[in-house]
Amino acid sequence: MIIGAGSAGEKILRETLVTPKINKEVVCFIDDDLSKKGRRIHNVPVVGGRNEILQQAEKYHVDEIYIALPSIDDKEVSEILNICKETKCKLKKLPGIYQFLNDEITLEKLKDVEVQDLLGRDPIKVNLEEIMGYVQDKVVMVTGGGGSIGSELCRQIAKSHPKQLIIVDIYENNAYDIQLELQRKYPKLNLETMIASVRDQNKINDLFAYYHPDIVYHAAAHKHVPLMEDAPHEAIKNNVFGTLNVAKAANQYGVKKFILISTDKAVNPTNIMGASKRLCEMIVQSFDKKSKTEFVAVRFGNVLGSNGSVIPLFKKQIQNGGPITITHPDIIRYFMTIPEAVSLVLQAGSYAHGGEIFVLDMGKPVKILDMAKNLIKLSGLEPDVDIEIKFIGLRPGEKLYEEMLMKEEGMQTTPNKMIHIGKPIELSHDFFDQLDHLYQVAYDEDSNIRKEVHQIVDTYHYDENTTHGVKQ
């Protein structure tokens, strides 16, 4: 079945007819334009609009559905896909208008439908010229440049003609992958890839002294909530003191903009990872008060498809025949794609005057259970028949829902209506003394570390009986 009886759909049909090795037969078209109903395209009937999809898929014993609608918006596509997913057919779609305009419509160009295609909101649009304007001809450093967010930052920055791009990462495999990719795509890019830990103050200082970056995106962090609950000292050493090291170097070596990648888990945190990122935001806001560098943070929700996120996990579980494991039937999360998250980070950087926490309006939160069911259906299977869904209980420090802003942060808008600014929070005058004390606590492997973090981040709530990751 092809959905879309326009020229894109016709080209796909024609390819199946003229290429003998394509062993596929198009049996019908679906199109919402009722004037097309009853017509035939190369002898294949147009059988009706979207409300006919389920009935016609059954009637014609359809195995695969191709969505050939290059010019409709994502919201429309998601409505159609949400009908298609009930058919147990394999779904593929034309990526978009670009392929259509460039006459690149072939079966090869069709992509599998991903669960994010069902989210039903238009992708976040950013003004690329603004981004280009402040990255072009600048020396840009990305810490954690091999990670999911860091590597996409590097891709988008590389497009914007920086004077030099420096990738800093402690994990050599990821750094190597993005290095090879960028060298292949941008042979003229002045690219440096440095293996270094943000915990190593001397090494970080050396890198800043040598390269003198104009802009720093600080994406290096431990981010897995359950793992950090078991290793709270590591979360603090890496996230908090890694950020402090990079912020100190940025201040000392005259960086123009420092952009911290933060998370919605920093809001009223219930886990040590979120509390550590809240401390990072506080470091950024403190430095902004005393530095010529513009220090800002960008906070967003869960990133679809990032390392360790729920989608790759669910896909693996489906491949293994199930079960899909979910902590709680009511758990909800805000989601965005990696390119959206990164374009937000880049645009927020262009708005930055210093001290702001930028927050993305991520639309409506998504129920993880619905996501799991949709993913099973997109695989042509039936939830709880072919693949079991199993509830395993909330993990330590996990919330049913994430908040994007604290109440006291207030809200301001920016020229991009999807990006908001939170008002800086007042910090204690002895904040840096408190950090010195926390440093000792972390490196002494003190079992009171959660209590010590709560002394500084009073919005952090934890279970006082928790002894995960603490030597007894």
Side-chain angles (χ1 to χ4, degrees), residues 133-197:
Y134 84 96
V135 170
Q136 198 168 356
D137 298 326
K138 299 288 194 304
V139 178
V140 184
M141 181 183 282
V142 180
T143 70
S148 317
I149 297 293
S151 61
E152 180 63 21
L153 269 166
C154 292
R155 282 183 200 101
Q156 293 195 26
I157 290 162
K159 268 187 221 163
S160 301
H161 309 293
K163 183 176 177 182
Q164 186 176 41
L165 174 59
I166 302 130
I167 296 171
V168 178
D169 205 301
I170 190 58
Y171 184 47
E172 62 186 304
N173 296 354
N174 280 350
Y176 180 65
D177 287 346
I178 187 68
Q179 179 187 35
L180 284 187
E181 182 190 325
L182 293 179
Q183 284 171 340
R184 192 182 69 248
K185 274 194 193 160
Y186 306 100
K188 291 183 179 165
L189 176 67
N190 180 352
L191 178 67
E192 294 286 345
T193 308
M194 304 305 300
I195 301 302
S197 170

Side-chain angles (χ1 to χ4, degrees), residues 10-276:
E10 188 269 337
K11 278 182 180 160
I12 289 167
L13 167 59
R14 195 168 356 125
E15 193 187 350
T16 66
L17 296 171
V18 301
T19 315
K21 65 175 189 275
I22 294 176
N23 192 18
K24 295 180 190 294
E25 183 196 355
V26 179
V27 289
C28 64
F29 279 97
I30 292 284
D31 201 297
D32 283 342
D33 180 351
L34 293 178
S35 69
K36 290 181 182 174
K37 189 174 177 178
R39 285 189 193 171
R40 286 180 170 269
I41 300 171
H42 302 307
N43 213 26
V44 175
V46 180
V47 293
R50 69 180 76 177
N51 52 354
E52 297 273 331
I53 291 172
L54 299 181
Q55 186 189 337
Q56 299 295 343
E58 204 171 314
K59 177 181 167 184
Y60 283 95
H61 305 292
V62 171
D63 303 305
E64 296 188 356
I65 298 176
Y66 298 156
I67 319 287
L69 299 165
S71 51
I72 69 168
D73 64 29
D74 287 22
K75 200 162 180 300
E76 280 274 287
V77 171
S78 88
E79 284 169 16
I80 290 166
L81 289 175
N82 275 302
I83 300 169
C84 293
K85 75 173 195 285
E86 304 302 328
T87 62
K88 292 193 182 174
C89 295
K90 196 160 172 35
L91 307 181
K92 287 186 175 287
K93 72 181 185 89
L94 192 68
I97 192 77
Y98 171 82
Q99 281 75 13
F100 181 66
L101 293 174
N102 286 359
D103 213 16
E104 290 180 9
I105 296 169
T106 62
L107 279 175
E108 232 175 35
K109 283 280 189 279
L110 291 172
K111 286 191 345 197
D112 285 344
V113 169
E114 297 284 353
V115 75
Q116 52 260 43
D117 296 320
L118 303 173
L119 286 184
R121 65 170 174 74
D122 292 336
I124 283 101
K125 299 279 192 294
V126 301
N127 183 337
L128 292 172
E129 279 159 25
E130 277 181 4
I131 294 167
M132 279 280 291
Y134 84 96
V135 170
Q136 198 168 356
D137 298 326
K138 299 288 194 304
V139 178
V140 184
M141 181 183 282
V142 180
T143 70
S148 317
I149 297 293
S151 61
E152 180 63 21
L153 269 166
C154 292
R155 282 183 200 101
Q156 293 195 26
I157 290 162
K159 268 187 221 163
S160 301
H161 309 293
K163 183 176 177 182
Q164 186 176 41
L165 174 59
I166 302 130
I167 296 171
V168 178
D169 205 301
I170 190 58
Y171 184 47
E172 62 186 304
N173 296 354
N174 280 350
Y176 180 65
D177 287 346
I178 187 68
Q179 179 187 35
L180 284 187
E181 182 190 325
L182 293 179
Q183 284 171 340
R184 192 182 69 248
K185 274 194 193 160
Y186 306 100
K188 291 183 179 165
L189 176 67
N190 180 352
L191 178 67
E192 294 286 345
T193 308
M194 304 305 300
I195 301 302
S197 170
V198 292
R199 296 188 191 195
D200 184 341
Q201 177 75 75
N202 291 338
K203 179 69 178 174
I204 292 299
N205 283 348
D206 285 351
L207 290 176
F208 275 73
Y210 186 79
Y211 290 109
H212 280 284
D214 300 301
I215 304 170
V216 174
Y217 295 96
H218 180 50
H222 285 324
K223 63 171 191 173
H224 289 277
V225 169
L227 285 178
M228 290 306 103
E229 285 303 287
D230 290 340
H233 304 92
E234 298 310 299
I236 297 304
K237 289 176 202 169
N238 199 58
N239 294 3
V240 178
F241 295 106
T243 298
L244 187 61
N245 288 342
V246 182
K248 276 180 179 168
N251 174 49
Q252 187 179 339
Y253 291 97
V255 168
K256 292 184 180 64
K257 286 178 193 277
F258 176 105
I259 296 127
L260 166 77
I261 308 300
S262 191
T263 165
D264 54 2
K265 291 175 179 62
V267 184
N268 298 324
T270 52
N271 53 64
I272 199 77
M273 196 289 281
S276 74

Side-chain angles (χ1 to χ4, degrees), residues 115 310-311 314-315 317-318 324-326 366-379 381-384 387-391:
V115 75
V310 71
I311 303 292
F314 286 172
K315 281 183 175 172
Q317 291 176 331
I318 291 169
I324 274 186
T325 53
I326 299 177
V366 177
K367 229 178 171 180
I368 300 292
L369 177 58
D370 292 345
M371 220 165 201
K373 285 179 178 171
N374 285 338
L375 208 53
I376 294 168
K377 288 175 179 175
L378 287 179
S379 308
L381 302 166
E382 212 173 313
D384 287 323
I387 300 282
E388 182 197 353
I389 295 177
K390 198 172 175 185
F391 298 106

